[in-house]
Amino acid sequence: MDIEESTHKLITLTYDAALAPEKWQEVMARLTQTIGTNAALLREVNYTTGEVGLYKTHGFDPAFTKAYREHFVHLDFFAPALMREPIGAVTRGDQVLPWEQQRETEFCNDFLLAQKNRYCLGITLARENNRHLLFALQRTKQQGDFTTQDLHLLRIIAPHMTRAMSIHRHMLAITTQQQWALSALNTLKIGVILLDDQGKPDFINQKADFLLSSNCGLSISNKKLNLSNALDSARLQCFITDEAKASCGHKRTAGGSLSTT
């Protein structure tokens, strides 16, 4: 597989991960294989407070992931550069701090070298409220430093990773707002039944659920709302179908009122 095809597949997979976050593992695995590294990570950090949020890795010992959260986040000498570099800039570890100075630090000796990692490459994908989203790759001494071609590939993929994370956060926010709205509907003292665009019950709040179980004349069968009278049920289904079509952009049929006795 040539580099162009590999890049295309990586970009496609990155957008898949926007809707299915578990695929970030596959993105990192594919990228490490393409570039030839032994480890990759996607990490969100507030370097001011030392709080570590999202943390997905490939090729890392889970014990070191835990150790970073609890201790090494406060010793990470890459932090200042990652906090000031432009979004999407590719930063080499040796550019941040010369190797001779890295070797004098606890972070290098007890975290990087303890995992046999020598060369590091980081990209800040996003910043928000002191939170920094980082993607990084690491190589052993035997694997050698990152090449110009490696950096070129990462610069192509980085903007797509940023957009994918933005899409993911947007979808998560919508889901959270929906959950809040449904929770609020559950507290109402009136029955609420929400239907999907096919007219099928999609949400039933606690009050409506109680009424349905109390033989109030309204029931659900075959995923449809029904009334005790067959004629009224037919009218109700026509009304629901008409409203469902209208919600999808279709014109309503002749109006009218639905009443039952």
Side-chain angles (χ1 to χ4, degrees):
M1 185 185 300
D2 60 29
I3 193 68
E4 184 176 344
E5 185 179 355
S6 296
T7 303
H8 177 73
K9 287 185 177 296
L10 277 166
I11 291 172
T12 300
L13 189 57
T14 295
Y15 285 112
D16 288 343
L19 302 179
E22 66 276 6
K23 289 195 174 184
W24 279 113
Q25 301 291 148
E26 189 176 347
V27 172
M28 290 188 286
R30 181 73 63 85
L31 191 51
T32 57
Q33 182 181 14
T34 300
I35 290 183
T37 70
N38 67 314
L41 63 88
L42 182 66
R43 185 170 66 208
E44 184 183 63
V45 183
N46 184 328
Y47 291 110
T48 303
T49 63
E51 179 186 0
V52 182
L54 173 76
Y55 201 159
K56 294 183 179 296
T57 64
H58 174 77
F60 273 83
D61 184 331
F64 282 100
T65 301
K66 183 174 183 291
Y68 186 89
R69 285 184 179 276
E70 296 176 353
H71 178 64
F72 288 105
V73 63
H74 303 288
L75 306 175
D76 192 340
F77 51 71
F78 296 127
L82 296 170
M83 292 171 70
R84 69 172 180 262
E85 290 294 326
I87 300 298
V90 179
T91 305
R92 290 174 180 265
D94 288 2
Q95 291 175 330
V96 174
L97 192 68
W99 177 243
E100 294 75 17
Q101 295 180 39
Q102 290 185 42
R103 289 286 283 121
E104 297 174 357
T105 67
E106 180 184 347
F107 184 79
C108 178
N109 290 298
D110 295 346
F111 187 74
L112 295 178
L113 291 179
Q115 300 175 80
K116 297 182 172 58
N117 290 321
R118 162 63 181 90
Y119 300 101
C120 302
L121 203 64
I123 308 170
T124 299
L125 299 177
R127 291 192 186 98
E128 183 181 1
N129 299 327
N130 290 326
R131 298 195 307 272
H132 304 264
L133 182 65
L134 162 74
F135 180 78
L137 296 170
Q138 298 179 355
R139 272 182 171 169
T140 65
K141 183 177 180 179
Q142 289 72 28
Q143 289 174 323
D145 202 354
F146 294 93
T147 67
T148 302
Q149 186 180 42
D150 296 334
L151 271 64
H152 177 66
L153 174 60
L154 288 172
R155 289 190 180 105
I156 292 174
I157 295 174
H160 298 285
M161 297 181 75
T162 299
R163 293 189 195 106
M165 288 303 300
S166 178
I167 292 169
H168 170 65
R169 291 179 186 281
H170 182 66
M171 297 297 293
L172 186 62
I174 291 174
T175 301
T176 301
Q177 291 169 5
Q178 182 184 47
Q179 290 173 343
W180 287 346
L182 295 181
S183 295
L185 290 177
N186 244 337
T187 65
L188 297 178
K189 295 185 182 300
I190 60 173
V192 176
I193 300 176
L194 302 182
L195 309 178
D196 63 17
D197 58 2
Q198 300 297 315
K200 299 176 181 179
D202 193 44
F203 170 80
I204 303 172
N205 77 345
Q206 293 180 357
K207 182 64 176 181
D209 190 48
F210 172 76
L211 293 173
L212 287 170
S213 63
S214 302
N215 298 319
C216 65
L218 182 67
S219 62
I220 296 177
S221 61
N222 297 322
K223 297 182 179 180
K224 292 184 178 181
L225 287 174
N226 294 287
L227 297 170
S228 55
N229 181 284
L231 180 59
D232 289 338
S233 283
R235 290 175 176 171
L236 175 61
Q237 289 305 320
C238 286
F239 175 76
I240 290 173
T241 299
D242 195 32
E243 290 300 312
K245 287 181 179 179
S247 70
C248 295
H250 299 285
K251 293 183 178 179
R252 286 182 170 85
T253 57
S257 61
L258 176 70
S259 61
T260 61
T261 57

